């Protein structure tokens, strides 16, 4: 029998300080997340300098807790993995430096992981039968990508956002209608009390790139609607606007994904990233995929937003491929998916 591969994985690319212990890529032994959301809320978004400082304060504690929760010692680990991009450079550097120090001190192989590869791999944790090839929609605060997952670690992006990411649109609209940061979960909640047909917001198409997304026009349409209500002295119904905006985002994401699934002939579809925890998006995909006979996969909300377990899942397949990084591993804020440095 092959020896178990135990990976200690670190994630610090944005505002979550996270570490996890993952066994053989799919079994999460621990998953510790220190969320900085409360700290950034009063600024209406993530403040990079504050994020880096808090990561420094918390990282050792979070790593120790991950080992403790897994009931494992550092000496029992097979490798150490860390997100090295994309993300906020100062935030990434904290995780990368911690991982390098542990790799050196405990003599463990070091594996740098792409953050989006982590999000996609979150699907492997609870869907033991899921294997590539499949199509994946990655929708987070920084990314909106339609990705062909051709094999483990082999990706082709067939659609991307031209401006705002889906999560960014949620956050900006939430701020405009007074819900605050982070917008996604708040809009999700408030929308349940609203009428999604109350206001018709535009569903943007991007000229010659049919799988690309554009959300900035939608955001402007919401702002214009708010302004015009104000000028006319009409009362603004927050729940209706939230629900109508959310419906516009969901419609575009579903339409693009279903078109791509049919064009490329995939029978398996997964979603990933913070926005993938949106209840209305999940429901819409469940219905659309069922109608088309496509198997639909999604992670639990805790594995949708940033976490260490997803990095451990991705790292396992990189480890199996023989990927190892040296102590010259650096944070790469604009790392491209599929690119190896
Ligand atoms: O994946 P993630 O934790 O961080 C990035 O890598 O960007 O995603 C965070 C984003 C935020 O924009 C947040 O508003 C959005 O995911 N989000 C949601 C929901 N939960 C988080 N958006 C819509 N509905 C949700 N339930
Ligand atoms: Zn993320």
């Amino acid at each position: 029998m092959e020896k178990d591969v135990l990976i200690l994985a670190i994630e610090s690319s944005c505002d979550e300080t996270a570490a996890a212990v993952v066994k053989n890529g799919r079994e999460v032994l621990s998953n510790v997340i220190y969320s900085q959301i409360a700290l950034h809320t009063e600024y209406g978004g993530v403040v990079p300098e504050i994020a880096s400082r808090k990561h420094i304060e918390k990282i050792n504690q979070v790593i120790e807790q991950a080992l403790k929760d897994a009931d494992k010692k550092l000496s029992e680990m097979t490798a150490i993995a860390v997100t090295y991009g994309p993300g906020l450079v100062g935030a990434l550097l904290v995780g990368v430096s911690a991982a390098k120090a542990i790799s050196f001190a405990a003599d463990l192989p070091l594996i740098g992981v792409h953050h989006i590869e982590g999000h996609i791999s979150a699907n492997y944790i609870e869907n033991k039968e899921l294997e590539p090839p499949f199509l994946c929609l990655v929708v987070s605060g920084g990314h909106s990508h339609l990705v062909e997952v051709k094999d483990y670690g082999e990706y082709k992006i067939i659609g991307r956002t031209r401006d705002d990411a889906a999560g960014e649109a949620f956050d900006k609209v939430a701020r405009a209608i007074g819900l605050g940061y982070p917008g996604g979960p708040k809009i999700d909640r408030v929308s349940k009390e609203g009428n999604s047909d109350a206001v018709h917001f535009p569903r943007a198409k991007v000229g010659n790139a049919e799988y690309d997304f554009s959300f900035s026009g939608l955001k402007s349409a919401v702002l214009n609607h708010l302004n015009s209500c104000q000028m006319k002295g009409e009362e603004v119904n927050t729940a209706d606007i939230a629900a109508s905006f959310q419906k516009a985002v969901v419609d575009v994401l579903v339409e693009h994904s279903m078109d791509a699934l049919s064009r490329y002939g995939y029978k398996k579809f997964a979603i990933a990233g913070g926005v993938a925890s949106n209840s209305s998006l999940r429901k819409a995909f469940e219905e659309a995929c069922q109608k088309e006979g496509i198997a639909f996969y999604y992670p639990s909300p805790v594995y949708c937003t940033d976490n260490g377990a997803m990095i451990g899942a991705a790292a396992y397949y990189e480890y199996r491929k023989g990927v190892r990084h040296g102590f010259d591993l650096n944070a790469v804020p604009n790392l491209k998916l599929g690119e190896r440095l």
Side-chain angles (χ1 to χ4, degrees), residues 47-62:
V47 183
E49 188 58 38
I50 295 178
S52 319
R53 260 188 267 160
K54 207 66 196 173
H55 282 312
I56 293 176
E57 253 178 73
K58 288 284 169 188
I59 193 122
N60 287 338
Q61 204 180 317
V62 165

Side-chain angles (χ1 to χ4, degrees), residues 80-156:
I80 176 136
V82 65
T83 306
Y84 73 112
L88 303 169
V89 67
L92 287 164
L93 264 176
V94 177
V96 169
S97 309
K100 287 202 281 192
I102 293 171
S103 161
F104 179 73
D107 197 19
L108 290 174
L110 175 68
I111 303 165
V113 174
H114 191 289
H115 184 72
I116 298 302
E117 177 166 18
H119 274 304
I120 295 171
S121 304
N123 280 286
Y124 298 138
I125 297 169
E126 294 156 301
N127 301 301
K128 309 290 180 209
E129 75 287 8
L130 176 63
E131 302 219 34
F134 59 93
L135 188 76
C136 187
L137 173 73
V138 185
V139 270
S140 71
H143 306 266
S144 304
H145 286 339
L146 253 179
V147 184
E148 282 188 87
V149 183
K150 291 175 172 275
D151 200 347
Y152 292 111
E154 233 182 87
Y155 307 98
K156 188 172 173 215

